[in-house]
Amino acid sequence: MHQPHDPPTDRSPDPPADRSSLDPPADRTAGTLPRTGTPTVGPQRDHSGDHSRDRPADTRPAATAVTRLAATVENLRGELARARADAAGRSLVEMAAGVLVERLRCGPTEAAAQLTALAEQADVPVLEFAAELVNQVAADRISAIAREFVTSSVDRSEEAAVRLRAAEAHSLAAGDSESVARSMLATALRPLGAVAVAIWAAHPDQSLTLEGSAGFGEAEARRWRCVPPGVSTPARRALDERETVVCPTLVHAALPTIGQHEYTGGRIAVPAGAGGRLIGVLEICWPTDLPPRSQSLQRQFEALAELCATTLETWTEPTGPKRTDREFDDLQRLTDGILDPCLVLRLAPGRAELPLEFAVRHVNPAFVDFAGRPNSAVAGARLLEAYPLAAEAGGLAEKVEHVFATGEPFRTMDMRLAATVDGIPLLARAQVSISRHGRHIVVIWRLDDGTPRVARLLQHAQRLGRIGGFEENVQTGQIAWNETLFELHGLPPTAQPIALDQLPEHAHPDDRPAIGRFLRTLLHHRRPAATAFRLQRSDGVARHIRVVAEPVHDENAALTTVRGAYQDVSAQHWTEVALAATRDQLAHSEQQAAERSRLALQLQHAIMPPARGPLTLHDLQVAVRYRPAEKDHLVGGDWYDTLALPSGEILLCVGDVAGHGIEAATGMVALRNALRGLAATGAGPAQLLTWLNSVTHHLTDNVTATAVCALYHPGTRRLRWARAGHLPPVLLREGRARALPQPGGILLGALDHADYEESHLDLRAGDTLVMFTDGLIERRDESVQASLDSLLSLSEKTSLAKDGTPDSLESHLDHLLRYSSADTDDDTCLVGISVDRAAGAAPEE
């Protein structure tokens, strides 16, 4: 498969003064490769092409050469891009000069001068005049488009002709599809508002490969290098339908494709064919809407697609004997069966002169990058792009170059491999074997035991804590530490690493609860967590440690591994003097907070005891369960009330004041007492909530709350109810549970005035109604609706006993509390209402 190629780079530490300096010296014949690719074996040569290596080892500025390598590569890339852009224009001018040579029977120099003179006489740029001249003598599709434009607009025809002819000239002069894509975007498509272009090659197995692209990031291009069969993209649709596919906006089209997160505007995919055979697709993308469609514009796109087909057909055909492809296929099958990491290199296009450059054509399934990067970041890249530090003296690049030139295999039991990740050098030691197989080089390295794993750990540690990292497999129990962690714990590198569940045993006793919460969040709730603790080592040294960790899940969302980092914060921790000076103040603050929490808890328990026996009101059995928050400082504002009113109706209500502490407790008391007084007026639930909203807004200090207010009429068994932003009650009838419909109503205290809707329900004998606060069902990892569905399922599993005794209602509430899936520390309030089964049918009024 043809891979897009990056511009060639130079491995010398300093950028050349001009392009001619890239060529080898005239007297260097030993090791120079002919264009046929056959190496010439001669005397020992300088593999690197860097004459600084002739100096003594102790005077060679190796560090400077390595650090300046990346800058040199970027400078050469820029020079090459500018040279290719200029080449497109020169190619067009040279084509026009060739026309004059044939027409005027003159030499090339005279034809060039005549072309310049004619352009000056016509008062047009030389490039535009050259395009018009070539169009007049060329009988092709681009010329036809230009002539069609002439009939409608002379200016537009000239502009389109120049754009298309320039794109054609650059396509013929370019060396790969990547260059063609850049040329098309710059010369023909960017004037039309396009921002990116992709050239796809189609394969018999219905897969697509990205042969060239422009306007997309390198990471995005690597991610879309290959599209497997069965994936519906604009390019795939264009091939299947054999016609241009137009997507006004990528969002509405709902088709995945390259750059979908960066450019969500219009897309056009034009099939590219040659001789009636579709071999690729040209995909063009706009940042917003597509330009106005016209027949002439469509023909421009079709002409560019034909250019793509020509280049794809030219560059995807093997340029040598068919044995070259068979050679690579055999080599690929061979390396795939090797259990050690293996790279297959080939000479980079256009780099048959010194210094040689190689591209990674294939990595086997066992390949592990010692820098921890995915294989896709290495495959397809230049060797010195993936491993720039390999250019050091005696490094991997020099050995590969020597093997390719001489054919002599190279083996060593110990070689230093180096790479950079985020500017940080990563080193590894490995056994390396390099051999030549035809036009390919096979590099096999066997890393020291644990090197790939430690490399990955180092990368995660740098991201999380820039210090020692660890990885623990929760399924197999395997633990990997880097050397820093052994030093932090005061253990030798050969010691057994300490598992996470054993961490409390190595911490200060006062810090063990914090570690317990850390482990519960990480392993039970499966969320990233962090904590600080005092590590007590066996040698008596205490260190202040901060640990940060995150869970890793497989494709089935099952926890497989925990990764994390330990950071020694002893140097940044409070000094002993600062600890002694602030200890009293901290204790005083904690005492004040504890007093406030204790007062709030006493106030809450005075109004609503956590345990309350069943209450009989007419034909209703009412039971209440209240579960305070697990932590004393999280005393909340949950409240409930059941009251027989003078009108004969029964008031049933549940509410939740936002916040925790003394403010929430006092707000709860205020709202509960206010609702009791308002209910004596005989108003309905909706009106009561309207009044209670005004009380909350005007008579409390920034208090907001949710509530459910219901009135039950014993004579008719009709339940009228309204809600203010609260969860709906759950009705259990004949073993089936459902949530009551939710009438509209905003939470209390949000607005000065609010209206509330009212619903009603006729209860039956044996019905059970549960009103509750969100602490019963709230979970951090799922939606409210999903939590409510879980509650309904749980309610159906636990129905009342057949005899309908009060204990059955209480056991039902106890079961809901015990098996609730909530994972928050919020307090919870439940009010259970059961209609007596012995009451029979509802009496008439």
Side-chain angles (χ1 to χ4, degrees):
M1 180 182 65
H2 174 73
Q3 297 288 349
H5 307 299
D6 292 329
T9 58
D10 186 46
R11 288 174 48 219
S12 60
D14 298 316
D18 54 81
R19 300 302 294 175
S20 62
S21 62
L22 291 175
D23 296 328
D27 59 348
R28 179 180 292 177
T29 59
T32 302
L33 298 179
R35 287 294 179 177
T36 60
T38 304
T40 301
V41 180
Q44 181 65 32
R45 61 186 179 86
D46 181 2
H47 298 294
S48 67
D50 184 1
H51 296 288
S52 63
R53 295 183 183 176
D54 297 333
R55 294 175 291 189
D58 57 346
T59 61
R60 181 178 182 271
T64 303
V66 172
T67 55
R68 296 174 59 186
L69 177 63
T72 302
V73 171
E74 292 302 322
N75 290 338
L76 294 179
R77 281 181 176 175
E79 291 178 15
L80 185 59
R82 291 190 294 272
R84 285 180 172 176
D86 295 340
R90 289 197 301 270
S91 299
L92 184 58
V93 173
E94 289 171 0
M95 291 174 64
V99 173
L100 294 181
V101 168
E102 190 274 334
R103 294 290 179 89
L104 302 179
R105 305 296 181 183
C106 61
T109 304
E110 183 180 355
Q114 188 69 23
L115 180 65
T116 304
L118 292 175
E120 292 176 352
Q121 294 177 9
D123 196 20
V124 295
V126 176
L127 181 63
E128 184 175 329
F129 185 86
E132 180 63 26
L133 180 61
V134 173
N135 284 337
Q136 291 179 2
V137 298
D140 57 9
R141 190 179 187 87
I142 295 179
S143 303
I145 294 175
R147 288 193 294 272
E148 177 184 346
F149 282 11
V150 169
T151 61
S152 58
S153 170
V154 175
D155 294 337
R156 289 175 55 193
S157 67
E158 293 175 352
E159 179 184 356
V162 170
R163 289 202 309 265
L164 296 176
R165 188 58 64 185
E168 180 192 37
H170 199 175
S171 300
L172 296 176
D176 53 43
S177 297
E178 195 78 13
S179 302
V180 173
R182 289 196 296 266
S183 172
M184 283 187 178
L185 180 63
T187 59
L189 295 174
R190 202 177 294 280
L192 300 177
V195 292
V197 62
I199 299 176
W200 302 94
H203 301 286
D205 63 350
Q206 302 299 308
S207 65
L208 297 173
T209 55
L210 184 64
E211 295 297 312
S213 66
F216 304 106
E218 293 183 5
E220 184 72 3
R222 285 197 302 268
R223 194 165 69 92
W224 285 89
R225 184 180 299 274
C226 179
V227 179
V231 178
S232 179
T233 64
R236 183 72 262 167
R237 282 187 52 190
L239 290 173
D240 294 340
E241 299 174 8
R242 304 184 69 84
E243 62 181 14
T244 301
V245 171
V246 179
C247 303
T249 60
L250 196 59
V251 176
H252 294 161
L255 293 175
T257 187
I258 183 173
Q260 58 188 351
H261 301 297
E262 185 177 1
Y263 306 121
T264 59
R267 291 288 176 106
I268 290 182
V270 186
R277 180 172 59 94
L278 295 183
I279 61 176
V281 177
L282 172 65
E283 183 175 349
I284 313 168
C285 106
W286 280 262
T288 54
D289 296 337
L290 293 172
R293 296 191 61 189
S294 64
Q295 184 177 3
S296 60
L297 197 62
Q298 177 63 24
R299 296 191 64 183
Q300 288 188 59
F301 298 146
E302 293 174 356
L304 294 175
E306 286 190 2
L307 286 178
C308 293
T310 302
T311 58
L312 288 175
E313 190 175 35
T314 300
W315 293 322
T316 55
E317 291 293 333
T319 56
K322 291 186 178 180
R323 64 177 178 86
T324 303
D325 288 339
R326 291 198 301 269
E327 172 189 290
F328 173 71
D329 292 340
D330 294 341
L331 193 59
Q332 181 178 359
R333 286 192 294 268
L334 175 65
T335 55
D336 287 349
I338 299 176
L339 299 181
D340 291 321
C342 181
L343 302 92
V344 178
L345 309 179
R346 64 175 177 182
L347 192 67
R351 296 301 299 177
E353 68 276 2
L354 295 176
L356 300 179
E357 289 188 4
F358 297 88
V360 181
R361 188 174 185 183
H362 176 66
V363 296
N364 68 340
F367 179 79
V368 176
D369 178 45
F370 60 86
R373 296 169 296 186
N375 293 356
S376 59
V378 178
R382 302 265 178 134
L383 178 63
L384 291 183
E385 289 178 353
Y387 303 101
L389 300 182
E392 61 185 356
L396 182 64
E398 182 177 301
K399 301 304 180 184
V400 169
E401 189 177 286
H402 179 76
V403 171
F404 186 83
T406 65
E408 300 175 358
F410 170 82
R411 293 179 179 84
T412 180
M413 297 299 294
D414 185 22
M415 173 179 280
R416 192 184 79 151
L417 302 178
T420 57
V421 175
D422 297 333
I424 299 176
L426 302 178
L427 305 177
R429 310 298 302 189
Q431 303 176 28
V432 178
S433 172
I434 308 174
S435 58
R436 178 170 177 175
H437 302 265
R439 298 295 297 167
H440 296 85
I441 295 291
V442 175
V443 179
I444 303 175
W445 63 47
R446 178 175 296 176
L447 300 169
D448 293 342
D449 292 341
T451 300
R453 181 183 301 171
V454 173
R456 290 195 298 269
L457 297 181
L458 180 58
Q459 186 177 10
H460 291 297
Q462 291 166 353
R463 177 172 60 87
L464 293 172
R466 297 285 177 177
I467 199 63
F470 67 91
E471 181 179 276
E472 180 172 340
N473 191 314
V474 298
Q475 296 179 350
T476 64
Q478 294 182 345
I479 305 173
W481 280 13
N482 64 359
E483 295 180 1
T484 308
L485 276 190
F486 288 99
E487 295 175 0
L488 287 179
H489 283 265
L491 300 174
T494 57
Q496 179 68 26
I498 299 173
L500 282 175
D501 57 359
Q502 300 175 358
L503 189 59
E505 303 173 9
H506 299 268
H508 191 280
D510 295 342
D511 297 334
R512 291 173 184 174
I515 296 178
R517 291 191 295 269
F518 164 79
L519 295 178
R520 186 165 55 253
T521 302
L522 181 66
L523 301 177
H524 178 64
H525 299 306
R526 300 180 182 179
R527 298 196 306 269
T531 190
F533 67 99
R534 286 162 288 183
L535 177 66
Q536 292 184 326
R537 306 195 324 181
S538 58
D539 56 5
V541 177
R543 290 184 179 272
H544 293 276
I545 299 295
R546 176 174 173 79
V547 58
V548 184
E550 62 180 4
V552 179
H553 305 88
D554 60 13
E555 61 274 11
N556 298 322
L559 178 63
T560 59
T561 308
V562 174
R563 295 191 185 119
Y566 286 87
Q567 183 179 11
D568 185 357
V569 295
S570 300
Q572 297 81 28
H573 199 272
W574 301 327
T575 63
E576 292 298 329
V577 175
L579 283 172
T582 58
R583 186 176 292 111
D584 292 340
Q585 182 180 358
L586 180 60
H588 180 66
S589 300
E590 291 178 348
Q591 183 178 3
Q592 286 184 330
E595 290 292 341
R596 288 173 58 86
S597 297
R598 187 160 44 251
L599 177 60
L601 188 61
Q602 291 175 352
L603 178 61
Q604 187 182 58
H605 289 180
I607 301 300
M608 296 179 306
R612 182 173 178 178
L615 178 67
T616 301
L617 295 173
H618 296 283
D619 59 344
L620 293 184
Q621 293 289 333
V622 181
V624 174
R625 287 294 181 272
Y626 183 81
R627 181 177 61 191
E630 294 183 6
K631 302 176 183 178
D632 291 342
H633 69 278
L634 293 180
V635 174
D638 287 18
W639 54 279
Y640 61 89
D641 202 1
T642 57
L643 180 66
L645 301 176
S647 62
E649 292 184 306
I650 298 174
L651 173 67
L652 303 167
C653 57
V654 169
D656 186 1
V657 176
H660 297 88
I662 189 66
E663 293 82 4
T666 55
M668 171 267 294
V669 174
L671 294 186
R672 183 173 182 270
N673 292 340
L675 184 58
R676 276 198 166 197
L678 294 172
T681 63
Q687 183 61 54
L688 290 177
L689 289 183
T690 300
W691 290 338
L692 191 61
N693 175 73
S694 299
V695 171
T696 308
H697 187 80
H698 294 287
L699 301 182
T700 59
D701 186 14
N702 297 325
V703 170
T704 57
T706 63
V708 171
C709 179
L711 292 176
Y712 175 74
H713 193 285
T716 61
R717 290 192 188 150
R718 170 157 292 191
L719 181 79
R720 295 180 297 149
W721 68 289
R723 56 181 288 274
H726 201 86
L727 294 170
V730 171
L731 175 65
L732 181 63
R733 174 177 291 173
E734 297 178 355
R736 302 293 297 175
R738 66 181 178 91
L740 297 186
Q742 302 188 40
I746 194 172
L747 77 164
L748 302 173
L751 300 176
D752 183 15
H753 176 76
D755 294 325
Y756 296 88
E757 298 177 359
E758 183 176 307
S759 294
H760 66 273
L761 173 69
D762 293 332
L763 297 179
R764 304 175 187 173
D767 284 353
T768 298
L769 191 71
V770 178
M771 305 166 68
F772 56 93
T773 56
D774 56 2
L776 180 66
I777 66 170
E778 191 175 26
R779 287 188 60 86
R780 298 183 180 93
D781 58 351
E782 65 182 19
S783 64
V784 174
Q785 184 59 47
S787 299
L788 186 58
D789 293 340
S790 299
L791 177 62
L792 297 179
S793 177
L794 181 61
S795 298
E796 292 180 354
K797 293 179 181 178
T798 307
S799 59
L800 296 178
K802 296 182 179 180
D803 57 2
T805 60
D807 289 340
S808 299
L809 176 60
E810 289 193 291
S811 63
H812 179 68
L813 299 183
D814 292 337
H815 184 88
L816 294 181
L817 279 177
R818 184 179 304 113
Y819 295 101
S820 167
S821 61
D823 62 355
T824 63
D825 293 332
D826 201 2
D827 46 358
T828 304
C829 177
L830 288 89
V831 176
I833 304 103
S834 177
V835 182
D836 191 356
R837 292 180 177 271
E844 298 181 358
E845 293 186 275

